[in-house]
Amino acid sequence: KAGVTQTPRYLIKTRGQQVTLSCSPISGHRSVSWYQQTPGQGLQFLFEYFSETQRNKGNFPGRFSGRQFSNSRSEMNVSTLELGDSALYLCASSLGRLDTQYFGPGTRLTVL
Amino acid sequence: DQQVKQNSPSLSVQEGRISILNCDYTNSMFDYFLWYKKYPAEGPTFLISISSIKDKNEDGRFTVFLNKSAKHLSLHIVPSQPGDSAVYFCAASHEKLTFGKGTLLTVNP
């Protein structure tokens, strides 16, 4: 069974731009969560989607948003990029909301 | 407010010996705990988990111990191998996963 895939793997943007990251969960998994990893803060929860609905949200500004499609694929969007948004963005999928999460390889976003 | 803490940023052990990674938590609502291992430029890989109704779970060389009264869990790796060198994250679950900041384990040949 294929794992979680994330595209693109690397991205370079400039301040003020916006970016969309994509995540394809493991086949059959209906829950997708997003995390931001930075050296100082570790992995921080962004949001969780289940059945196309946002079920939970972390403590991030409204510039960070996401959505989930009917095939469980998910996208996250960051608008008006800031230098501090440079991070590894990780997507994780699970069968159901309370099941073990399996992570993708991440998208490395660099904001210049 | 850091609800999951891994107080040792790094740990170095000899090949063949035991590695013990520790994690403390503050939220008594956490009911499921997990350990993930992460290599550079890769996503975290699930290692082992434990429900709050248990105090020990074992999977091959990996054992997780949970002490609910102390709000403490630990991951034991026996015997340690050089390929175990990675960052280990402890995570706790209640509605969402909360991660510690990780411990870099180095296993020396």
Side-chain angles (χ1 to χ4, degrees), chain A residues 8-42:
Chain A
R9 291 293 311 277
Y10 301 92
L11 209 45
I12 299 176
K13 292 284 187 180
T14 56
R15 276 181 298 174
Q17 287 188 308
Q18 78 162 20
V19 66
T20 299
L21 312 181
S22 181
C23 171
S24 292
I26 292 170
S27 177
H29 284 196
R30 295 172 61 197
S31 177
V32 172
S33 297
W34 289 88
Y35 297 86
Q36 181 196 65
Q37 186 187 15
T38 55
Q41 296 299 320

Side-chain angles (χ1 to χ4, degrees), chain A residues 26-84:
Chain A
I26 292 170
S27 177
H29 284 196
R30 295 172 61 197
S31 177
V32 172
S33 297
W34 289 88
Y35 297 86
Q36 181 196 65
Q37 186 187 15
T38 55
Q41 296 299 320
L43 276 92
Q44 291 192 289
F45 172 76
L46 278 156
F47 26 66
E48 177 211 355
Y49 286 88
F50 182 80
S51 293
E52 302 177 64
T53 303
Q54 188 179 90
R55 302 291 179 158
N56 220 330
K57 191 176 191 306
N59 190 24
F60 278 82
R63 300 185 297 107
F64 291 81
S65 63
R67 59 178 174 166
Q68 186 180 34
F69 301 95
S70 57
N71 62 358
S72 294
R73 191 177 70 84
S74 178
E75 288 181 348
M76 69 162 275
N77 185 77
V78 188
S79 62
T80 321
L81 283 166
E82 300 177 359
L83 294 178

